């Protein structure tokens, strides 16, 4: 349905970070994000552990350069918020590094505030 697509909002440096990734990874993440905007979910999208039911999803893709992740939330009806795009540097295990989890948590709070702002704008117009 045309017009039913949610806007995509980039939190902090997430867009710049995505653009720094290899082209194939950018295309893959772009497709996953476009599905999220349309209310669908890419097969590679999984709920990111540690956020309860906050609707925080991650897409993981590998290439010869390593493992890359894009983290976004579909929790808010106003938009799909891209929280973090990064190359996983940790050599041990598949867990998301603590530093990246802290970034995601902080940016989720920013997304929440932006969504609330958009909601309030709609009710005052």
């Amino acid at each position: 349905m045309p017009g039913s697509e949610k806007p995509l909002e980039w939190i902090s440096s997430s867009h710049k970070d995505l653009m720094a990734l290899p082209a194939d990874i950018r295309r893959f993440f772009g497709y996953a994000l476009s599905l999220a905007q349309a209310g669908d979910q890419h097969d590679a999208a999984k709920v990111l552990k540690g956020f309860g039911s906050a609707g925080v999803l991650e897409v993981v893709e590998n290439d010869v350069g390593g493992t890359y992740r894009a983290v976004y939330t579909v929790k808010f009806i106003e938009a799909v918020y891209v929280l973090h795009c990064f190359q996983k540097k940790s050599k041990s295990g598949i867990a998301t590094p603590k530093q990246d989890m802290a970034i995601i948590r902080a940016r989720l709070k920013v997304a929440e505030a932006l969504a609330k702002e958009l909601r309030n704008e709609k009710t005052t117009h």
Side-chain angles (χ1 to χ4, degrees):
M1 291 184 290
S4 65
E5 198 172 87
K6 285 184 181 183
L8 198 58
E9 296 289 336
W10 302 90
I11 304 298
S12 191
S13 64
S14 59
H15 186 260
K16 182 176 73 87
D17 298 339
L18 175 72
M19 298 314 287
L21 301 180
D24 287 347
I25 300 295
R26 286 197 315 262
R27 272 191 291 278
F28 184 83
F29 288 165
Y31 178 62
L33 291 169
S34 71
L35 286 174
Q37 285 180 272
D40 205 352
Q41 186 174 313
H42 193 282
D43 290 343
K46 305 261 184 290
V47 174
L48 183 60
K49 288 178 175 63
F51 289 91
S53 60
V56 177
L57 302 167
E58 75 170 337
V59 180
V60 179
E61 182 66 343
N62 298 304
D63 82 347
V64 293
T67 300
Y68 302 87
R69 295 180 181 201
V71 180
Y72 61 96
T73 184
V74 293
K75 176 183 180 180
F76 311 106
I77 59 168
E78 291 76 18
V80 173
Y81 292 91
V82 183
L83 304 174
H84 195 26
C85 297
F86 62 102
Q87 180 176 6
K88 186 176 176 293
K89 302 264 198 275
S90 172
K91 301 293 180 238
S92 59
I94 60 168
T96 304
K98 284 185 172 79
Q99 181 182 354
D100 291 302
M101 291 297 279
I103 290 169
I104 294 163
R105 275 193 177 73
R107 291 181 181 178
L108 181 60
K109 287 181 180 151
V110 171
E112 200 161 2
L114 289 172
K116 192 174 183 180
E117 210 173 277
L118 282 172
R119 210 171 302 134
N120 289 342
E121 279 178 21
K122 284 183 181 174
T123 58
T124 58
H125 287 266

